[in-house]
Amino acid sequence: MASSGFSWTLPDHPKLPKGKPVAVVVLDGWGEANADQYNCIHVAQTPVMDSLKNGAPEKWRLVKAHGTAVGLPSDDDMGNSEVGHNALGAGRIFAQGAKLVDKALASGKIYEGDGFNYIKESFENGTLHLIGLLSDGGVHSRLDQLQLLLKGASERGAKRIRVHILTDGRDVLDGSSVGFVETLENDLSQLREKGIDAQIASGGGRMYVTMDRYENDWGVVKRGWDAQVLGEAPYKFKSALEAVKTLRAEPKANDQYLPPFVIVDDSGKAVGPVNDGDAVVTINFRADRMVMLAKALEYADFDKFDRVRVPKIRYAGMLQYDGELMLPSHYLVSPPEIERTSGEYLVKNGIRTFACSETVKFGHVTFFWNGNRSGYFDETKEEYVEVPSDSGITFNVAPKMKALEIAEKARDALLSGKFDQVRVNLPNGDMVGHTGDIEATVVACKAADEAVKIILDAVEQVGGIYLVTADHGNAEDMVKRNKAGKPLLDKSGGIQILTSHTLQPVPVAIGGPGLHPGVKFRTDIETPGLANVAATVMNLHGFEAPADYETTLIEVADN
């Protein structure tokens, strides 16, 4: 260990005592925006969070949760839960998926790596299949990256290419699928003019086809498998543009939930099922909604649904989606290497840790918090508890989700005296916000606030400390706006609902009876972000953070 130039032993903080239990509460999708009727956090009854905001000003502040503050290419890039929890746990800013892929494509290194060379072996006699989200939202994938990959693969020997599209409507405006398909069809037409057999082969909406996460609903992945791999779907069309326009004309149609479709030739035969000898690339750079498909494509002993036919393929992810599971085993771009996370430091310094959320965000307070690493650092000092999420319904149907159950588990962990840190994620603001249902999102925010109260009451009972924050914005602004900030209207005069994350800052609040009375937020940090939270939490435990961590948000005023 000495040769690596650092020690796992954290120095004691000169002014802050050890031994006080610390509750770290992450409100998912809880940003700070102007108060109006589309700000569900403002509309909802949230007395606990209101009291933190309006209580002691030196104990509440805003930090950046998007763009360069969380390792994304630019400040036009909205944050997401994965990069947010990476930053919260790592205490430093690491280049994230989109930026890594951008660099690899710009330099051409993506075509020199083991992953591309592996799939390239199929170019001579097989088909290259590209599966992923067709969008420029920049959260899971980007259209321009797909365009560059199509160009690069075709220039390097791919003779037959099939693209399997997933329509968005979540990170971008609903209805934008039509324009994205037109753009892609034009690119594929140009490739065909160069003698390359390139077509869209299948499609469907992201929330109904393929892109489930955390094993919440394997039926979503099966619908994708049937269309993409088997070439079977309830809807068949001659072109993807016809498919999207037709399916969107149905009552209550939405890009997120378009049913699966396949493209067929004049004889009614699917143009692009996956066969032995083919190569498959999942083009999403974000991990969470590709892991389940990756398992279906890669695992020989897969048993989550009947795959019917399992072609012998060369499969690679845009990145490796799970470093602990080594999944997939081949990938085009190496993921960020996040080592020495705050969780590992604290456990190695004796901090007994409890982490909990429900299924849809459980990986965020464990895997992503710990630097894209599964499992425990020391199972004798850690306990991770997953509360099963509702499945088979959209989140606006039961907007309270499992917030109260998560809070009760956190409360019990605090009152047990067995843990020094209790860490939770309350998913409501994000998961319900993504549905675009304003009324349900108001209910979701109220439920999250009630959950915070349960945890803070327990902190009070044990004489502990709390830090309440968020990973990115969502519920605080549910409408698309023009440059003047006014709501945009659709053709019928209704507001254009915003289902995506936002570029808004998020709160950080500290307090509790165990907090040293001299602790306050510093005012000398120019643009603090989520990565500053890790050093702050270390301080609250009575330790100084490593020197290369982003600086702490707090200082101790002399009495």
Side-chain angles (χ1 to χ4, degrees), residues 85-165:
H85 285 79
N86 274 172
L88 286 165
R92 289 148 292 154
I93 301 167
F94 288 84
Q96 289 289 342
K99 187 182 286 187
L100 294 171
V101 175
D102 285 343
K103 287 181 177 178
L105 285 165
S107 67
K109 285 186 177 177
I110 195 168
Y111 306 114
E112 299 165 7
D114 293 342
F116 189 83
N117 285 326
Y118 173 66
I119 63 162
K120 191 177 177 182
E121 293 176 38
S122 294
F123 289 1
E124 182 64 31
N125 299 309
T127 300
L128 170 63
H129 299 265
L130 303 176
I131 304 174
L133 187 66
L134 185 66
S135 170
D136 64 3
V139 176
H140 292 270
S141 66
R142 281 215 324 271
L143 174 60
D144 62 325
Q145 293 179 351
L146 170 60
Q147 292 172 304
L148 287 169
L149 190 58
L150 282 166
K151 181 175 183 289
S154 63
E155 289 172 349
R156 289 163 177 82
K159 300 173 182 176
R160 194 169 187 271
I161 300 173
R162 294 294 181 265
V163 186
H164 304 265
I165 64 170

Side-chain angles (χ1 to χ4, degrees), residues 82-278:
E82 287 65 45
V83 300
H85 285 79
N86 274 172
L88 286 165
R92 289 148 292 154
I93 301 167
F94 288 84
Q96 289 289 342
K99 187 182 286 187
L100 294 171
V101 175
D102 285 343
K103 287 181 177 178
L105 285 165
S107 67
K109 285 186 177 177
I110 195 168
Y111 306 114
E112 299 165 7
D114 293 342
F116 189 83
N117 285 326
Y118 173 66
I119 63 162
K120 191 177 177 182
E121 293 176 38
S122 294
F123 289 1
E124 182 64 31
N125 299 309
T127 300
L128 170 63
H129 299 265
L130 303 176
I131 304 174
L133 187 66
L134 185 66
S135 170
D136 64 3
V139 176
H140 292 270
S141 66
R142 281 215 324 271
L143 174 60
D144 62 325
Q145 293 179 351
L146 170 60
Q147 292 172 304
L148 287 169
L149 190 58
L150 282 166
K151 181 175 183 289
S154 63
E155 289 172 349
R156 289 163 177 82
K159 300 173 182 176
R160 194 169 187 271
I161 300 173
R162 294 294 181 265
V163 186
H164 304 265
I165 64 170
L166 300 166
T167 53
D168 192 349
R170 185 177 174 98
D171 301 322
V172 293
L173 276 180
D174 181 43
S176 57
S177 58
V178 175
F180 293 137
V181 170
E182 286 174 333
T183 298
L184 179 58
E185 288 280 33
N186 183 56
D187 288 351
L188 298 175
S189 174
Q190 291 178 30
L191 289 179
R192 289 194 294 273
E193 289 173 7
K194 296 176 181 176
I196 293 157
D197 178 4
Q199 300 181 58
I200 295 175
S202 75
R206 57 177 282 177
M207 296 302 287
Y208 192 64
V209 179
T210 299
M211 283 176 58
D212 190 50
R213 64 178 172 191
Y214 304 144
E215 305 197 7
N216 203 43
D217 185 354
W218 277 103
V220 173
V221 184
K222 184 184 188 308
R223 284 188 282 272
W225 180 275
D226 291 350
Q228 297 148 2
V229 178
L230 306 181
E232 298 173 0
Y235 293 92
K236 296 177 173 64
F237 295 94
K238 291 290 186 66
S239 80
L241 193 57
E242 178 196 2
V244 172
K245 285 183 174 180
T246 303
L247 294 173
R248 278 197 52 80
E250 293 292 315
K252 296 186 178 178
N254 179 291
D255 282 350
Q256 294 189 57
Y257 291 94
L258 290 187
F261 61 85
V262 293
I263 307 306
V264 296
D265 59 20
D266 291 339
S267 66
K269 184 179 176 184
V271 301
V274 179
N275 294 310
D276 287 352
D278 287 352

Side-chain angles (χ1 to χ4, degrees), residues 236-558:
K236 296 177 173 64
F237 295 94
K238 291 290 186 66
S239 80
L241 193 57
E242 178 196 2
V244 172
K245 285 183 174 180
T246 303
L247 294 173
R248 278 197 52 80
E250 293 292 315
K252 296 186 178 178
N254 179 291
D255 282 350
Q256 294 189 57
Y257 291 94
L258 290 187
F261 61 85
V262 293
I263 307 306
V264 296
D265 59 20
D266 291 339
S267 66
K269 184 179 176 184
V271 301
V274 179
N275 294 310
D276 287 352
D278 287 352
V280 175
V281 174
T282 43
I283 63 166
N284 289 20
F285 47 72
R286 179 164 150 182
D288 60 341
R289 294 191 183 274
M290 282 289 108
V291 168
M292 292 167 71
L293 175 58
K295 288 178 178 179
L297 288 167
E298 188 144 306
Y299 285 177
D301 57 352
F302 181 86
D303 62 358
K304 302 300 182 181
F305 58 82
D306 183 3
R307 292 180 290 186
V308 182
R309 181 173 62 81
V310 185
K312 295 173 183 175
I313 60 170
R314 292 180 175 87
Y315 165 52
M318 184 68 94
L319 290 94
Q320 187 169 61
Y321 299 128
D322 189 327
E324 188 75 8
L325 296 175
M326 311 297 278
L327 184 75
S329 53
H330 298 273
Y331 43 92
L332 302 188
V333 180
S334 297
E337 296 177 8
I338 303 178
E339 79 306 76
R340 298 190 301 110
T341 62
S342 62
E344 186 170 12
Y345 266 114
L346 289 169
V347 167
K348 290 186 175 182
N349 282 270
I351 297 301
R352 301 163 301 166
T353 303
F354 177 89
C356 177
S357 188
E358 62 176 278
T359 305
V360 291
K361 295 291 181 177
F362 175 68
H364 294 79
V365 285
T366 55
F367 176 81
F368 290 108
W369 193 279
N370 292 334
N372 305 334
R373 180 189 183 281
S374 297
Y376 294 109
F377 294 114
D378 182 347
E379 58 188 22
T380 68
K381 295 189 178 72
E382 294 174 279
E383 183 178 341
Y384 297 164
V385 173
E386 177 182 349
V387 178
S389 287
D390 293 320
S391 61
I393 60 170
T394 53
F395 291 104
N396 56 326
V397 174
K400 294 182 180 180
M401 298 182 65
K402 305 301 177 186
L404 298 184
E405 291 95 321
I406 295 165
E408 287 162 359
K409 300 232 181 255
R411 174 198 64 199
D412 294 347
L414 284 163
L415 298 181
S416 74
K418 295 194 306 187
F419 300 101
D420 305 297
Q421 182 181 114
V422 171
R423 180 170 75 232
V424 301
N425 177 296
L426 300 171
N428 308 61
D430 187 48
M431 298 309 297
V432 184
H434 276 313
T435 69
D437 186 329
I438 291 178
E439 207 169 296
T441 307
V442 171
V443 175
C445 294
K446 182 175 186 287
D449 191 74
E450 290 167 352
V452 174
K453 184 179 193 307
I454 292 171
I455 298 169
L456 298 198
D457 284 350
V459 169
E460 191 74 28
Q461 278 185 257
V462 298
I465 301 168
Y466 63 76
L467 183 146
V468 181
T469 188
D471 55 348
H472 56 73
N474 186 336
E476 79 286 354
D477 196 5
M478 297 283 290
V479 68
K480 192 78 176 171
R481 299 177 185 274
N482 62 22
K483 290 181 180 178
K486 302 293 184 187
L488 286 171
L489 304 180
D490 59 26
K491 291 175 183 175
S492 60
I495 61 162
Q496 291 189 22
I497 293 291
L498 184 70
T499 57
S500 70
H501 299 165
T502 70
L503 303 177
Q504 300 292 348
V506 300
V508 182
I510 52 173
L515 185 67
H516 185 289
V519 169
K520 63 177 184 176
F521 280 126
R522 295 168 56 173
T523 57
D524 60 343
I525 308 171
E526 193 171 334
T527 50
L530 290 179
N532 297 89
V533 169
T536 309
V537 171
M538 287 171 155
N539 290 172
L540 297 178
H541 280 293
F543 296 107
E544 286 277 21
D548 63 336
Y549 269 44
E550 293 293 312
T551 186
T552 179
L553 294 168
I554 60 175
E555 61 185 358
V556 184
D558 293 326

